[in-house]
Every structure is written in C-alpha cells, then in structure tokens.
Amino acid sequence: MKRALVVALFAFGYPVAIVVIARYVPVVRERRIRWFAAHEAAVSAIVAGHALRPDTGGVVVNSAWLVVGTAWYALGGRRGESVESPRVSRRRRP
C-alpha cells in the first residue's frame, strides 16, 4: 500500500514539476498562478514521496527547491531591475 502511494505521488509530481520548471521564468514573470500552484502541489508530492520511502537526500533537495522556487515567485523573478517607478523626464517640452 505504501509503495503504491509513493508511486502515485511520483507519477503525479515529477511530470507536472518538469513541465512547469521547463517554463519557470515565464511562470514567474507573467505571474501564472495556476502554473505556480501546480508546481507547488507537484513538488510537495515529490517531497512526500521521498519522505515515505524514507529518502532524506530526496527530501532535502526537493524541499530546498520548493523554498527557492517559492521565494523566486514571491520576489517576481526580477533581477537587477529597480522596484521604483520608471524615471520621469523633467525636461521641459517646447
């Protein structure tokens, strides 16, 4: 029974996570909430599957990605861009 659950978790988790991770930059930049939710569910399933085995290494690696991926999404994936509004030209128009 436990083995069947692990297989089911991995059968759902890995394919979904791979598809979303392959498109992760647009998911973050375009704020695709459904894709992100699918990613979170998939990686959580993978972590649960590794925890049931028990595979400490798998739990640590996949949990780390879960935290990093969530932080990346929360921060918007913007690198080197200012959070401030764009500059307004103060030059007078003729």
Side-chain angles (χ1 to χ4, degrees), residues 15-87:
V16 172
I18 289 168
V19 167
V20 176
I21 290 169
R23 303 275 307 150
Y24 205 70
V25 171
V27 168
V28 171
R29 287 190 180 153
E30 297 170 14
R31 313 305 288 166
R32 296 180 185 177
I33 191 69
R34 284 189 232 162
W35 283 62
F36 179 68
H39 170 267
E40 295 291 291
V43 177
S44 296
I46 293 167
V47 170
H50 282 294
L52 288 172
R53 284 175 80 182
D55 177 8
T56 306
V59 171
V60 170
V61 167
N62 288 289
S63 295
W65 168 247
L66 189 62
V67 170
V68 169
T70 302
W72 188 1
Y73 188 86
L75 296 173
R78 294 191 174 94
R79 186 182 213 188
E81 292 180 19
S82 175
V83 178
E84 299 172 11
S85 62
R87 287 185 163 207

